[in-house]
Amino acid sequence: MSTRARRRWLAAALLLAAIASQPRTPAAAPQTSGDEAYVALEDAARAARARHELDAAQAAYQRMLDRAIGEPNALWQARGRLGLGRVATDRLQYAQAVPLLRQALADLERLGGPSDVGAACAALSIALGGSSPDESRALLARAIDAFDRAHDAPAKRHAQLLQIRATPGADVETSLAALVADARAAGDHAVEGGALHLWGDRLFNRGELDRSLQMLDAAAAALAGDVDPDELGTTYNSLGRLYRVHGQLTVALRYQRAALAIHERHGTDYAHIQSLNAVAATYQVLGDFPRARVYFERALARATRGGAPTIVAFLRASYGDLLVRMGEVARGRALLAQALDAALPYYRTIRGRQLAEADARLGDWAKASQEIDEAIAHCGDTTRVDCAGARIARARIALARGDLAAAAAEQQAVLGLIEAQHASLVTSDFMKQGFADLWVPTYSLAIDLQLRQGDVRGALETAELGRSRALLDLLASRDVPVSARTDTVAIAAGPAGLAPVASRRSVAVARAARVDDLVATAARLRSTLVIYWVGDGRIAVWTVAPDGDIHHAVTAVSPARLSALIRAATTAPQPVAATAGASGLVSRSGAQTLPIVTPARPVWRQLYDVLVQPVARYLPAASGSRITIVPHGPLAGVPFAALRDPSGRYLVERYATHVAPAGAFFDYSAPRASRPVSALLVANPADMPRIAGEAPLVRLPGAAAEVRAIAKLWPAGEATVLAGADATELRVLAAAPHQGVVHFATHAIVRDTNPSASFLALGRAGDARDAGELTPAKIEQLSLDADLVVLSACRSAGGPPTGDGIAALARAFISSGVPSVIATVWDVADAPTTRLLPAFYRAWLGGADKTSALRTAQLQLLADLRAGRVTVQTKLGTVVLPEDPMFWAGF
């Protein structure tokens, strides 16, 4: 795991974020008429230091000291040394700072007033930091007393903040609350923000992540507007760390780069180094090692100039871990070894784990085992995340040494730590969505170990632990009383350019399905569950039959081959040469021309061999039986109905298939008790939104024809059609609640790099609230009673799936309470779609369940394609469409 910049006080140089907010040296004894020159020099030095122009500040303080020595003037000599000591501290030159500050304090105790003494005590305490914590705390107590005697309330508040920051382990919430209230009442936003920031960090270290986010957001708000840029930057770093442990790595990086930009302009050397380290660490977690290296090297270069041994050792260790991961193992290990003895207890687990991993790569398993045991012995000093990382390393080392039982036991302990961390996540759906993605390798290792031991049921339960937990938590939160939750929460509001994200509160912690739950679900659905887990080079699959029989298989397939197969299946094929000059078939998005005549594609058979053949003998024998696919990772985008067996039959010709993100999903998604009696059908909106830099969205006449055909299937008065100019966002939002079915035949704009910005395109009516973009956030705020939502639009199930295994638009409807969604995994052709969906509704309204109705419609369209009954008009005249899955399997 990446290093974390925290405990800024006790980690000596690394934990010194209070430098910029330390109190200015106030006037001490009354000034005499001969002091004007000293006052001018001191003012110039303070101003330069505030601008972080340390050379200018040092020169001014040195002139003050030289002048005072020449006159002589002992008081101003002491103040000059105090200033020089502070500048040396700013430069992280503690060896030079401490003697200067000790002499200044001794002289000011004899010659200065209480404010002078308080300032000197606080400055010396900062310079000593974690190297002498007891003395530091004693100095701060003296500083507070001195500032109290001087009636200097602002300086006293700063010293109180430093004192609380220097108090480890104790429950300091009462002190922090009192300090925040005092600072807020006095309008002292710098101390208010610093105290809130410290409070947020302490809560983070205790695992109270929801409260930590509240405090850190409040700190950032208090510090905004140039109140204290240095502290604002370090607050952003803490926010970035919090987002990082939730798996929201893009947001984390945005915060940390914003902190770096602030510290490059306004920060102390320490703050600048801290931000460089934070950016590097996040790039490392993202797997972008070259960029991580650039930022680590920048941090090291700056720290080395300052000459702070503790900081240099810390950064060398972080850099060493990166070098190990980049393959420079011997060099990286040497850097890690140098830092281990000097590491504070909080970092012993991290450093020991990193050193053990380096030795494991070098093949020294005995040394690696000893080091990882020592690292885990310090787990009580660190967070669950870092302890879990160490135990994962011990499991891998045990496995490499052939101790399968020990490895499996470690992994079970890790799963417990992950579950405990999951239970303490920020109660926001957005924050929870990325968490499971961080731990996929860990779940994969645990599953592999359990299967090696023959524990098929345990491995299946582990797979359920690792999938769709954020979505399940959100669905479970619907049962929480309204008084205990809010519908939306604004998060990620901070650095410029990082827009707030509306996210629903997710206060519940849903239980993952156990084997008995899965058996009960299979029996209730009268379906065989086919549950996948995609590991690194292996796909595990289990079948759970309605009678309780459980089987499994493991297939070796490289990630590159699997990605290539899925890409080939879900990308429109190239047209055959004979029709290359003909007009293609326009997709429903209007953005793609689909080939009319396609070559035979072996990918459907190849995917069958990888995904279905290993468990084919455990699937039902009767034609038309139901199977419930629970995919994982990249399999979420695979249309299983199109997989083709050795005899040439598609899976849809044998089974009725439907898809669920997790086995426990069905506990929260029961269909409505009776068939829907009303429907809202939305089609072919007019005046759709314009997208900057993209072609205008085209009208969809086929969608209008599709909806007209569907409307005729409903009894008179029970289907509401909003088409053309009537299909505006406001009218759809008003009409959607209380409908049994909501059907969208329009464009789906899917943003792969920003899923929350995806939307269903609707019309605009000129109202400022009517943007014509039905985004996931707007969908989630709807109170839908629908039993079914149909997204008859291109890639409406597309985009990168989250750890829930379901992408933005479909997930939004599921999380808003809709038990079933029909969506598309690719660009669908307009003409076949206008045949498929009316056939689906005809079968469903005729008494079939939704899964069987979709199968009936797909089989009917497939039969028509095979018989040459589906034609389109092109420049070459009438062309018969082939049976390629592109035309029927996308739903």
Side-chain angles (χ1 to χ4, degrees):
M1 304 298 293
S2 60
T3 57
R4 289 171 171 75
R6 53 194 172 210
R7 278 180 155 177
R8 291 183 305 282
W9 176 265
L10 288 179
L14 261 182
L15 311 179
L16 253 173
I19 292 173
S21 59
Q22 62 186 297
R24 307 286 186 251
T25 306
Q31 307 295 315
T32 68
S33 58
D35 288 339
E36 289 86 351
Y38 291 112
V39 172
L41 285 168
E42 185 175 44
D43 287 345
R46 287 176 180 167
R49 185 165 169 259
R51 296 190 302 269
H52 302 290
E53 297 171 0
L54 299 185
D55 288 344
Q58 181 176 345
Y61 281 126
Q62 188 64 54
R63 286 197 298 273
M64 179 194 305
L65 178 59
D66 292 343
R67 183 186 183 100
I69 291 172
E71 286 194 351
N73 187 321
L75 175 60
W76 282 104
Q77 286 181 46
R79 289 174 177 167
R81 292 189 180 95
L82 173 59
L84 289 170
R86 281 175 160 172
V87 172
T89 301
D90 290 348
R91 294 184 186 280
L92 312 179
Q93 297 169 343
Y94 307 118
Q96 294 93 320
V98 170
L100 285 167
L101 293 171
R102 286 196 188 280
Q103 184 175 348
L105 175 58
D107 292 341
L108 290 170
E109 286 177 322
R110 293 184 295 104
L111 303 168
S115 289
D116 273 321
V117 173
C121 286
L124 179 56
S125 174
I126 291 170
L128 289 169
S131 65
S132 185
D134 292 339
E135 184 180 1
S136 293
R137 286 190 289 271
L139 285 164
L140 287 170
R142 291 173 59 191
I144 292 168
D145 177 68
F147 290 135
D148 191 46
R149 287 186 284 110
H151 305 291
D152 190 341
K156 179 181 176 181
R157 282 192 294 270
H158 278 91
Q160 287 173 321
L161 175 58
L162 293 174
Q163 184 184 52
I164 298 170
R165 188 172 274 146
T167 305
D171 183 1
V172 294
E173 286 205 42
T174 301
S175 300
L176 282 168
L179 183 58
V180 167
D182 182 27
R184 188 172 291 158
D188 188 345
H189 299 302
V191 169
E192 178 191 354
L196 287 166
H197 180 193
L198 176 60
W199 201 342
D201 280 353
R202 290 296 177 89
L203 290 168
F204 178 92
N205 292 338
R206 291 213 309 255
E208 296 184 43
L209 303 183
D210 199 57
R211 292 183 65 208
S212 175
L213 179 61
Q214 295 174 35
M215 294 300 176
L216 292 173
D217 277 341
L223 295 165
D226 290 330
V227 169
D228 188 340
D230 192 74
E231 184 73 14
L232 177 62
T234 57
T235 301
Y236 280 173
N237 274 329
S238 291
L239 280 162
R241 176 188 61 188
L242 192 147
Y243 280 93
R244 193 167 67 208
V245 301
H246 284 79
Q248 292 294 346
L249 302 181
T250 301
V251 178
L253 188 61
R254 295 280 291 275
Y255 269 107
Q256 288 161 342
R257 290 187 68 89
L260 178 58
I262 290 171
H263 289 149
E264 285 176 336
R265 295 192 306 271
H266 306 291
T268 62
D269 274 4
Y270 162 72
H272 193 176
I273 292 166
Q274 182 197 49
S275 290
L276 288 167
N277 178 74
V279 171
T282 302
Y283 273 128
Q284 183 171 332
V285 177
L286 284 164
D288 191 342
F289 293 166
R291 284 189 181 174
R293 183 172 194 158
V294 168
Y295 285 94
F296 274 135
E297 288 176 350
R298 285 176 59 187
L300 260 172
R302 193 172 184 95
T304 303
R305 287 199 303 271
T310 308
I311 288 184
V312 171
F314 181 94
L315 290 170
R316 281 178 177 165
S318 298
Y319 185 47
D321 178 58
L322 175 69
L323 292 177
V324 169
R325 295 173 186 277
M326 294 183 74
E328 299 180 39
V329 182
R331 182 184 173 201
R333 191 209 180 276
L335 292 173
L336 285 164
Q338 290 175 14
L340 186 62
D341 290 339
L344 293 170
Y346 186 81
Y347 291 102
R348 297 284 296 184
T349 296
I350 300 169
R351 297 306 182 212
R353 186 259 301 166
Q354 292 168 337
L355 191 62
E357 288 175 337
D359 280 322
R361 292 192 182 217
L362 292 169
D364 193 338
W365 300 107
K367 187 177 290 184
S369 294
Q370 178 183 347
E371 289 160 347
I372 199 63
D373 288 345
E374 292 173 357
I376 290 172
H378 291 277
C379 268
D381 298 314
T382 189
T383 64
R384 291 191 192 103
V385 172
D386 293 324
C387 187
R391 302 199 77 148
I392 292 166
R394 185 153 71 177
R396 294 188 183 279
I397 291 168
L399 183 60
R401 302 190 76 182
D403 193 342
L404 187 63
E410 284 299 324
Q411 282 303 95
Q412 288 306 303
V414 170
L415 295 180
L417 290 170
I418 296 173
E419 283 298 291
Q421 184 77 4
H422 173 219
S424 66
L425 294 175
V426 172
T427 56
S428 156
D429 178 50
F430 173 78
M431 294 295 275
K432 288 184 175 185
Q433 283 183 42
F435 180 73
D437 291 339
L438 287 177
W439 299 99
V440 167
T442 302
Y443 289 116
S444 296
L445 177 59
I447 290 167
D448 183 44
L449 290 170
Q450 288 168 310
L451 290 178
R452 289 195 198 189
Q453 291 184 307
D455 187 3
V456 175
R457 295 166 70 93
L460 176 55
E461 290 183 347
T462 298
E464 285 296 300
L465 277 178
R467 76 172 86 241
S468 301
R469 300 296 297 283
L471 178 60
L472 296 176
D473 284 358
L474 188 58
L475 295 175
S477 297
R478 293 203 305 259
D479 297 330
V480 175
V482 174
S483 59
R485 64 181 173 89
T486 57
D487 288 333
T488 60
V489 56
I491 58 177
L498 188 58
V501 176
S503 178
R504 293 174 62 183
R505 280 288 185 196
S506 178
V507 298
V509 179
R511 185 177 68 89
R514 306 297 296 270
V515 167
D516 290 346
D517 303 318
L518 296 172
V519 170
T521 295
R524 185 170 71 253
L525 297 176
R526 297 192 296 277
S527 177
T528 297
L529 309 184
V530 185
I531 302 173
Y532 291 90
W533 184 270
V534 179
D536 186 10
R538 295 157 66 89
I539 298 176
V541 56
W542 298 261
T543 60
V544 181
D547 63 3
D549 276 355
I550 296 174
H551 300 279
H552 91 288
V554 176
T555 303
V557 57
S558 72
R561 172 166 167 73
L562 182 61
S563 296
L565 288 173
I566 294 172
R567 186 167 56 252
T570 55
T571 303
Q574 295 298 311
V576 296
T579 62
S583 295
L585 185 63
V586 176
S587 71
R588 176 144 290 182
S589 70
Q592 185 177 3
T593 299
L594 305 175
I596 293 175
V597 181
T598 65
R601 291 194 281 170
V603 65
W604 302 112
R605 170 65 195 282
Q606 294 166 340
L607 277 172
Y608 181 95
D609 288 345
V610 170
L611 301 178
V612 179
Q613 186 63 49
V615 292
R617 63 186 179 276
Y618 306 128
L619 299 181
S623 179
S625 298
R626 178 179 299 183
I627 60 174
T628 301
I629 306 295
V630 182
H632 176 247
L635 302 185
V638 174
F640 277 80
L643 304 190
R644 207 163 191 176
D645 68 18
S647 68
R649 287 196 304 170
Y650 295 108
L651 203 66
V652 72
E653 296 181 89
R654 296 181 58 193
Y655 302 113
T657 63
H658 65 154
V659 179
F665 172 74
F666 295 99
D667 294 336
Y668 303 99
S669 63
R672 306 298 184 237
S674 59
R675 291 197 174 275
V677 296
S678 63
L680 172 64
L681 309 176
V682 182
N684 195 24
D687 191 25
M688 288 178 285
R690 296 295 300 267
I691 304 171
E694 298 184 22
L697 298 175
V698 299
R699 299 294 301 280
L700 301 171
E706 169 190 314
V707 161
R708 286 195 298 271
I710 294 169
K712 293 177 181 177
L713 301 174
W714 294 81
E718 294 183 1
T720 299
V721 176
L722 295 179
D726 293 329
T728 66
E729 178 184 338
L730 288 181
R731 293 195 66 177
V732 169
L733 293 177
H738 313 303
Q739 301 284 351
V741 171
V742 182
H743 181 108
F744 293 93
T746 184
H747 294 278
I749 308 302
V750 178
R751 302 300 189 199
D752 290 345
T753 58
N754 184 15
S756 64
S758 301
F759 63 90
L760 292 169
L762 299 173
R764 299 172 294 175
D767 190 302
R769 300 169 297 161
D770 206 349
E773 299 181 2
L774 190 56
T775 62
K778 294 176 182 177
I779 293 167
E780 289 172 350
Q781 294 177 43
L782 290 171
S783 295
L784 294 178
D785 295 326
D787 186 53
L788 172 68
V789 166
V790 178
L791 304 179
S792 179
C794 287
R795 292 189 68 218
S796 54
T802 65
D804 295 328
I806 185 168
L809 292 170
R811 185 186 190 278
F813 281 107
I814 292 291
S815 65
S816 69
V818 179
S820 299
V821 175
I822 293 179
T824 58
V825 295
W826 55 50
D827 273 7
V828 293
D830 205 31
T833 299
T834 61
R835 302 169 69 105
L836 177 72
L837 289 174
F840 159 76
Y841 281 106
R842 192 176 297 112
W844 183 38
L845 295 174
D849 60 74
K850 292 188 283 287
T851 300
S852 298
L854 181 59
R855 176 177 184 256
T856 296
Q858 289 177 321
L859 289 176
Q860 181 178 316
L861 178 55
L862 182 57
D864 287 345
L865 289 165
R866 284 172 171 167
R869 293 190 289 266
V870 183
T871 61
V872 294
Q873 296 300 314
T874 75
K875 292 178 180 179
L876 299 181
T878 301
V879 176
V880 177
L881 295 184
E883 68 170 75
D884 193 278
M886 173 180 62
F887 297 117
W888 58 266
F891 284 91

